[in-house]
Amino acid sequence: MQNIAVVTGASSGIGAATARRLAAEGFHVVAAARRADRLAELIDEIGPAATAVTCDVTSEESVAALAAAVTALGGPVTLLVNNAGGAVGLDPVESGSAADWQSMYDVNVLGTLRVTQALLPALITSGNGTIVTVGSTAAFTVYEGGGGYTAAKHAQNALVGTLRLELSGKPVRIVEVDPGMVRTDEFSLKRFGGDRAKADAIYDGVKEPLVADDIADIIAFAATRPHHVNLDRIVVRPIAQAAQHKVYREK
């Protein structure tokens, strides 16, 4: 039986790129996301090495159905990629929307918690489990207008670090990948409510931001090392981004 890899947030961006890459690495990929139509397109592209499961990580019932679908495949579950997440808005703390903050916490933190809890027994049983969580440089650096997102990513980082301690002695590796500036089709567009001009302005003058395939490559690398090798935390930025607040932009 092929080893099974579950990728959340797989309908676009880093999640879709990771699903493609892991299938090429020999995994049977369970691509999970809310948008069934986008998942169908991805599965058509990948072929029989992938299975689509419509899943909303903010719903316990939906995550339970995902776990059941994975179990029904019958193979060993050796990899979980917690990729579902996102940012909403760029408002200062004094005027930020509590609803937006709650939404970001629910998907980035509680979504990671729900899926991890649901699949952890299978990952342990496999004897060869790995959990890769896609965080952000926002997990350790704050910036103006990013209070809600950085708070959520800091909390997600705390979850991952705690889990690594609690699973010491169990056959499950815990990896965190923290990207900086990654240009995908939807991340910034969703953040700014579909405002393309605002979304594109984030990358103005940046010759080569990271792209989804760059992160998928790193996830695949971490997941395919010998199992005794745990890459605890991988921070990755484009060369143009020396730090969160320092980005070289060509004029």
Side-chain angles (χ1 to χ4, degrees):
M1 297 292 291
Q2 280 182 290
N3 288 334
I4 295 172
V6 180
V7 181
T8 65
S11 60
S12 65
I14 292 171
T18 300
R20 295 185 193 99
R21 177 59 186 271
L22 293 177
E25 293 285 349
F27 289 91
H28 184 88
V29 177
V30 176
R34 291 176 299 174
R35 293 178 292 180
D37 56 337
R38 296 291 295 270
L39 287 178
E41 293 173 5
L42 179 64
I43 300 308
D44 285 344
E45 178 186 345
I46 295 174
T51 298
V53 177
T54 304
C55 178
D56 179 355
V57 300
T58 68
S59 162
E60 291 188 11
E61 294 78 11
S62 186
V63 170
L66 168 64
V70 172
T71 299
L73 292 174
V77 183
T78 61
L79 176 59
L80 166 61
V81 180
N82 283 313
N83 170 71
V88 182
L90 201 64
D91 298 325
V93 171
E94 66 177 344
S95 59
S97 162
D100 287 348
W101 280 55
Q102 184 169 333
S103 172
M104 287 184 276
Y105 194 89
D106 201 11
V107 67
N108 289 284
V109 185
L110 298 182
T112 297
L113 176 65
R114 292 183 187 99
V115 178
T116 299
Q117 287 178 334
L119 294 177
L120 188 55
L123 289 158
I124 293 173
T125 297
S126 77
N128 193 37
T130 301
I131 299 174
V132 179
T133 298
V134 180
S136 168
T137 52
F140 53 87
T141 305
V142 297
Y143 55 91
E144 295 96 332
Y149 184 58
T150 59
K153 285 301 185 182
H154 274 68
Q156 186 184 46
N157 167 253
L159 184 162
V160 170
T162 303
L163 184 65
R164 186 180 296 112
L165 295 174
E166 292 175 347
L167 291 183
S168 179
K170 303 288 187 182
V172 181
R173 298 183 294 186
I174 306 298
V175 179
E176 180 177 353
V177 178
D178 289 328
M181 183 176 283
V182 184
R183 184 163 198 163
T184 64
D185 292 339
E186 297 187 340
F187 180 85
S188 290
L189 194 63
K190 286 183 177 179
R191 183 170 205 169
F192 295 111
D195 188 322
R196 173 61 69 181
K198 285 186 178 180
D200 288 345
I202 297 294
Y203 311 100
D204 280 352
V206 179
K207 183 179 179 182
E208 292 180 304
L210 298 175
V211 296
D213 284 338
D214 295 324
I215 309 306
D217 181 53
I218 290 166
I219 291 169
F221 178 82
T224 56
R225 295 312 87 204
H227 198 254
H228 70 284
V229 178
N230 194 98
L231 298 172
D232 285 14
R233 189 173 198 177
I234 304 169
V235 178
V236 52
R237 297 185 177 97
I239 193 171
Q241 187 180 32
Q244 205 83 347
H245 62 282
K246 187 172 180 64
V247 179
Y248 177 75
R249 299 179 188 273
E250 295 183 343
K251 296 179 181 179

